[in-house]
Amino acid sequence: MNDQRAWIEQRHRDFERVWGNLPGWGTLAAVNHTSIGLRFMFTGMAFFLIGGLLAMVVRTQLALPEQTLIEPELYNQLFTMHGTVMMFLFAIPVLEGLAMYLIPKMLGARDLVFPRISSLGYYCYLFGGLILLSSLFLDRAPDAGWFMYTPLSGSDYSPGMGADFWLLGITFVEISALSAGVELVVSILRARANGMALNKMPIFAWYILGMALMIVFGFPPLVLGSILLELERAAGWVFFSVEGGGDPLLWQHLFWMFGHPEVYILFLPAAGIVSTLIPVFAGRPLLGYRWVVVSILLMGFISFGLWVHHMFTVGIPRLAQAFFSVASMLVAVPTAIQLFSWIATLLAGKPRYSLPMLWIFGFLVIFVCGGLTGVMLALVPFNWQVHDSHFVVAHLHYVLVGGMLFPLLAGFYYWLPHFSGRMPSERMGRWAFWLIFIGFNVTFLLMHLTGLLGMPRRIYTYEAGLGWDWLNLVSSVGSFIMAVGIGLLLIDLVFHFRYGPKASHNPWGADTMEWATSMPASSYNFLSIPDIHTRHPLWEKPDLPDTIAAGEHGLKEIDHVRRETYDCHAVTGKVRAVTHLPSNSWHPLWSAAMLAGVCVSLLLKVYPLALVALAGALFFLLRWSWHNGAHPRAAPPTHREDIHLPLHSRTCDGPGLWGMRVALMLNGTFYVSLLFGWFYLHTVAPQWQVPEQARLSLEWLGFSGGFLVAALAVYRRAVRRLKAREDRHLGAALWVAAGLGALHVALLLGALLSAPLSPTELAHDAVMLVTLIYLLIHSVGVVVLTGLQALRVRLGYVSGRFPYEPVVLQPLWGYTTGIFWVSAVALIALPLLWGTSG
């Protein structure tokens, strides 16, 4: 018995040596999902406190009529930064961090499948947030609202650096969100315990899968809009200016194509917390699991058809108003399915009203109220009356705070023992709840009335005697009550880590796998990974944590000194390979630092320095990509490899291939948004102008496209042979594909340089130029990556035994070819058919 215990303890030390973070400053090189997830959450909470302080200043200014505590210019900066910080620097990153922390543990995995991307995302988030916040201290904060409507955010009405801080900072931060979206989608589908089929996943994983897919499809329009607006401000290219053929409403479309799905991006993980906690405290499985899964997917789908209900007053056609009004009410159906499932589960079980459940009930009350006002706003005549009033502000906070913050705090108290190994204080937690609940409702319930009485949003003061005086005063008092509750919660957290009572294992009697890890969690989650064929593994096998820690299940070897987790079939969950994961790496930090240098250089308009920083970022990213596959720093070949369960880099269908496909889905959404802008301006812009002379040479484009198709054919043939484990002349074939691609790039660049484009005068030329640059970036990228693959063939990192990397790259060749020909049709063929020149 003693020998067995000693073996287990030694095995845990061996795992910690491989999986643990480096000591001291070396922890900055951590890529482990537990460390990265916690960093996202703690950083997000810090930003939350800053956003809350900004809100308190705003409420103090509005407490009494005709106050002059702050100047109107500063007031505009404060409410702009409050909304920006809460939406972009707190809400989404905190939920992503929670998902990164929990998902591998819930699915029986040791890490996410792209750990270095998680680390890069965190540093982009941190640096982008700091750059954005620095604008406040430099007195250069944006003041056009967190939605940055044009033309108010254009250079004419917002001169200076304020809007540039927002556009560049938010675009930088969105790298984090997009990388997390790709990471979570692929990890949920490909990194689960053996036997955990999709229909056996914890319900929380379904919610996070829905959220991640919505990020993939929802965020690119905002990124595109930010790039276009920054180009218009910095370079004078025309996209939103009416005089050159642009349209300011294009910004609203692009923003709300992101903005309304974002509401459900925030709601889904919060609802996932609710669907996870209610069964635990009701003591029975979630009723209607399949219906809830269907409602998640349905909600995600419908949410992309609602964006125009934010634009009912801008003059859109009545038919469009009717369509989006109906769609806005239709989204209440999947929400109701989840609500009835929660109520039915509580009624069918025996609920325990512990502290986390108090926050769940607060959520149910507030979110239902917010949902009812949402249905009211979906009605066009009512929307016209309360648009841009405090009624909309109240609705927004009821939906976002009720729908996101209260479930988040419920989850915070529920998983607190997992983070710390200690139980939360029931007494202080309940005081914090009631103060926040009462303060919130006092603040925002009355704000509905101020809106109905006609008080506009975004005004810094108001005259006395309009009927708003006492309502604003009480709302401001409520905000301070809520702030006291937040302060008490923070005090509770500080004392918790020192004085909280020790938690027993699985203290809430939960059913999901995260409670099978140690508390606090180890860096590797599980010493051995069991087979899971049920949604409730800890209810059906209460001894599972002990057998996992004793090494009685799979993947318990560590002598190879590799970080490994299972690679499973996306649907059935059957293990097909072992994914070897990268260890601690400085490349994400250096890459993010270089990208931050690009951002700062663009803000300062020091463009040569921006190019240098961009080159540095590309160097570190390519260097990071070099340490993969059979490279000595990754998984070099050994004589002990398992032929029945191979390493993923020895296969043709690993997580990287899925990552490429999901990334191209994201990329494709960006491209479709660009095409939407082209056709929207062509159709709707009041002064759209088409040049009389064709801008692009058909000969240059035709030959360029021909070389690209030839390169794709050569590459596909090489990959087809490689999949059959035939690698003769593989390096030569890759060099030929890269050479043909280089000829394509040269001709495409020639077409661009010879085109008489005037992007500062015509929106037509500006959109065309952006599209050509987009094509060039992809063409150059795929040629460079193919050349690197040819070099890796020569070094023995790619071969018939190691076919993985060229297979991963193949979809990018197909995508690059596809967007080239679609662009040719959109920019040249269709305008010719319409009787205009491209």
Side-chain angles (χ1 to χ4, degrees):
M1 179 65 72
N2 290 333
D3 291 343
Q4 177 70 10
R5 185 179 295 111
W7 179 88
I8 293 173
E9 291 175 355
Q10 182 59 46
R11 186 55 51 135
H12 280 283
R13 286 193 292 271
D14 293 341
F15 267 82
E16 187 61 37
R17 189 160 48 250
V18 172
W19 284 84
N21 298 339
L22 298 174
W25 288 103
T27 192
L28 296 175
V31 297
N32 182 278
H33 81 99
T34 297
S35 299
I36 300 301
L38 289 173
R39 290 175 186 179
F40 264 102
M41 287 187 278
F42 282 115
T43 306
M45 291 305 295
F47 284 129
F48 169 75
L49 296 178
I50 294 171
L53 289 175
L54 299 177
M56 299 309 299
V57 177
V58 169
R59 279 312 323 168
T60 303
Q61 167 66 18
L62 294 177
L64 297 172
E66 302 177 15
Q67 287 212 95
T68 56
L69 294 176
I70 55 177
E71 296 299 320
E73 293 79 9
L74 179 58
Y75 181 89
N76 290 340
Q77 293 181 8
L78 293 180
F79 84 74
T80 297
M81 289 298 293
H82 165 70
T84 300
V85 168
M86 290 303 196
M87 295 297 283
F88 296 103
L89 302 184
F90 163 62
I92 292 174
V94 163
L95 293 172
E96 287 178 339
L98 183 65
M100 288 180 178
Y101 180 89
L102 287 175
I103 283 298
K105 296 174 174 63
M106 284 188 166
L107 300 182
R110 288 187 178 138
D111 207 338
L112 299 167
V113 292
F114 308 126
R116 290 177 295 189
I117 290 182
S118 300
S119 180
L120 174 69
Y122 171 73
Y123 286 119
C124 288
Y125 161 54
L126 176 64
F127 295 154
L130 292 177
I131 289 171
L132 193 57
L133 279 182
S134 69
S135 65
L136 272 173
F137 301 99
L138 298 172
D139 195 24
R140 297 290 188 274
D143 59 2
W146 68 275
F147 35 78
M148 294 297 287
Y149 282 169
T150 55
L152 181 60
S153 58
S155 55
D156 291 338
Y157 298 99
S158 294
M161 299 171 63
D164 300 315
F165 267 105
W166 194 97
L167 294 167
L168 292 169
I170 291 302
T171 303
F172 192 20
V173 168
E174 294 316 307
I175 296 174
S176 168
L178 293 169
S179 63
V182 174
E183 173 90 275
L184 290 168
V185 169
V186 181
S187 296
I188 291 171
L189 293 177
R190 294 301 299 266
R192 306 195 299 272
N194 184 43
M196 185 183 284
L198 282 180
N199 65 342
K200 301 299 181 184
M201 285 200 312
I203 193 65
F204 185 77
W206 276 107
Y207 278 99
I208 297 303
L209 180 60
M211 176 199 78
L213 285 171
M214 291 180 69
I215 288 174
V216 167
F217 291 110
F219 276 58
L222 175 64
V223 175
L224 172 66
S226 299
I227 292 172
L228 297 185
L229 183 51
E230 181 59 24
L231 284 172
E232 182 168 283
R233 288 178 54 86
W237 296 9
V238 180
F239 301 103
F240 307 106
S241 174
V242 174
E243 292 77 11
D247 189 347
L249 288 184
L250 175 60
W251 168 265
Q252 290 198 35
H253 281 288
L254 292 174
F255 182 86
W256 289 115
M257 284 178 183
F258 144 82
H260 200 83
E262 187 196 24
V263 174
Y264 298 95
I265 290 170
L266 298 177
F267 172 73
L268 283 180
I273 295 173
V274 177
S275 293
T276 299
L277 269 60
I278 283 180
V280 172
F281 290 99
R284 61 149 300 127
L286 181 70
L287 287 176
Y289 173 94
R290 290 182 176 83
W291 280 102
V292 172
V293 171
V294 170
S295 72
I296 294 168
L297 301 177
L298 188 61
M299 177 178 287
F301 178 77
I302 295 176
S303 69
F304 284 95
L306 308 181
W307 83 88
V308 174
H309 84 208
H310 295 272
M311 303 169 60
F312 280 159
T313 61
V314 302
I316 62 174
R318 291 189 177 181
L319 181 61
Q321 290 180 344
F323 172 83
F324 286 100
S325 176
V326 172
S328 300
M329 290 183 278
L330 186 63
V331 79
V333 174
T335 308
I337 291 173
Q338 296 169 60
L339 183 62
F340 288 132
S341 172
W342 299 331
I343 294 173
T345 303
L346 288 171
L347 292 176
K350 297 179 179 179
R352 292 175 287 139
Y353 297 101
S354 299
L355 181 57
M357 283 299 289
L358 197 59
W359 294 93
I360 295 296
F361 282 114
F363 151 77
L364 292 173
V365 172
I366 293 175
F367 185 73
V368 168
C369 293
L372 291 175
T373 56
V375 173
M376 295 166 66
L377 287 168
L379 300 171
V380 176
F382 182 80
N383 187 291
W384 285 349
Q385 300 304 313
V386 298
H387 185 78
D388 264 350
S389 74
H390 269 220
F391 187 95
V392 178
V393 178
H395 161 72
L396 176 71
H397 285 82
Y398 261 81
V399 170
L400 293 184
V401 177
M404 178 266 178
L405 183 61
F406 275 73
L408 179 65
L409 292 175
F412 164 77
Y413 278 109
Y414 175 72
W415 281 298
L416 195 55
H418 203 284
F419 303 145
S420 66
R422 298 176 181 272
M423 294 299 290
S425 167
E426 286 276 340
R427 184 177 181 183
M428 291 189 71
R430 290 178 183 274
W431 270 102
F433 167 78
W434 285 112
L435 286 171
I436 293 173
F437 182 80
I438 293 171
F440 172 83
N441 283 287
V442 170
T443 302
F444 295 105
L445 183 62
L446 297 181
M447 206 173 285
H448 291 93
L449 299 179
T450 56
L452 291 174
L453 290 173
M455 182 172 180
R457 63 197 299 192
R458 301 188 288 274
I459 59 170
Y460 87 103
T461 192
Y462 52 93
E463 295 181 5
L466 297 175
W468 309 338
D469 306 25
W470 72 272
L471 291 171
N472 275 300
L473 178 61
V474 175
S475 285
S476 295
V477 171
S479 69
F480 278 91
I481 295 173
M482 186 177 177
V484 172
I486 295 293
L488 188 60
L489 190 150
L490 292 174
I491 294 172
D492 184 17
L493 178 62
V494 170
F495 281 99
H496 164 84
F497 281 92
R498 185 172 181 86
Y499 300 109
K502 293 288 185 179
S504 61
H505 208 83
N506 194 6
W508 309 111
D511 58 330
T512 44
M513 282 289 291
E514 77 272 21
W515 295 104
T517 68
S518 60
M519 298 192 318
S522 63
S523 58
Y524 49 88
N525 294 340
F526 308 101
L527 184 74
S528 58
I529 301 179
D531 293 355
I532 302 295
H533 300 281
T534 173
R535 296 177 199 146
H536 316 288
L538 296 193
W539 282 353
E540 297 186 12
K541 295 181 179 180
D543 64 337
L544 201 54
D546 297 327
T547 60
I548 289 172
E552 297 180 12
H553 305 282
L555 217 60
K556 58 187 177 183
E557 298 299 325
I558 198 63
D559 298 339
H560 44 60
V561 198
R562 285 194 304 265
R563 298 186 180 190
E564 293 182 343
T565 194
Y566 280 140
D567 173 25
C568 72
H569 188 276
V571 177
T572 65
K574 183 178 179 181
V575 168
R576 303 192 302 182
V578 173
T579 301
H580 57 84
L581 302 168
S583 186
N584 299 304
S585 172
W586 291 98
H587 290 126
L589 174 57
W590 301 138
S591 301
M594 290 293 105
L595 291 173
V598 174
C599 184
V600 172
S601 301
L602 291 176
L603 275 171
L604 299 175
K605 294 182 169 49
V606 185
Y607 300 120
L609 183 60
L611 290 176
V612 172
L614 180 60
L618 293 175
F619 169 79
F620 285 115
L621 290 170
L622 291 174
R623 182 67 177 170
W624 142 5
S625 72
W626 191 256
H627 296 162
N628 277 317
H631 190 278
R633 294 192 183 182
T638 68
H639 64 280
R640 298 180 56 189
E641 293 184 16
D642 187 344
I643 61 173
H644 302 293
L645 203 58
L647 297 176
H648 80 275
S649 60
R650 280 55 164 167
T651 71
C652 296
D653 185 27
L657 179 60
W658 285 62
M660 175 63 78
R661 290 168 176 166
V662 176
L664 290 178
M665 290 162 56
L666 180 158
N667 201 344
T669 305
F670 181 95
Y671 177 67
V672 169
S673 301
L674 181 58
L675 290 183
F676 167 82
W678 169 259
F679 289 118
Y680 175 85
L681 293 177
H682 199 289
T683 307
V684 175
Q687 296 187 30
W688 175 259
Q689 302 172 49
V690 179
E692 296 181 1
Q693 180 184 1
R695 294 308 207 199
L696 296 176
S697 167
L698 294 178
E699 292 79 10
W700 285 89
L701 289 179
F703 283 115
S704 177
F707 281 119
L708 180 58
V709 171
L712 174 63
V714 171
Y715 192 89
R716 280 185 170 175
R717 183 175 184 276
V719 170
R720 188 165 55 248
R721 289 171 53 84
L722 189 60
K723 288 181 177 179
R725 307 293 172 171
E726 298 178 17
D727 56 7
R728 288 186 59 194
H729 309 302
L730 174 62
L734 294 178
W735 281 122
V736 170
L740 291 170
L743 290 173
H744 151 72
V745 169
L747 290 170
L748 181 59
L749 182 61
L752 171 60
L753 295 177
S754 64
L757 297 174
S758 301
T760 60
E761 298 176 7
L762 294 178
H764 173 281
D765 289 6
V767 177
M768 184 173 285
L769 182 55
V770 169
T771 305
L772 291 173
I773 293 173
Y774 177 83
L775 297 180
L776 268 173
I777 291 172
H778 285 77
S779 298
V780 171
V782 76
V783 168
V784 171
L785 292 175
T786 302
L788 290 176
Q789 288 301 301
L791 287 175
R792 291 174 73 82
V793 171
R794 183 176 181 180
L795 295 171
Y797 301 155
V798 173
S799 64
R801 184 181 177 187
F802 313 118
Y804 181 62
E805 294 172 36
V807 176
V808 171
L809 192 57
Q810 181 175 335
L812 182 58
W813 272 103
Y815 178 82
T816 302
T817 306
I819 59 174
F820 176 86
W821 289 108
V822 170
S823 299
V825 171
L827 299 181
I828 300 175
L830 288 181
L832 288 174
L833 290 176
W834 294 333
T836 60
S837 172

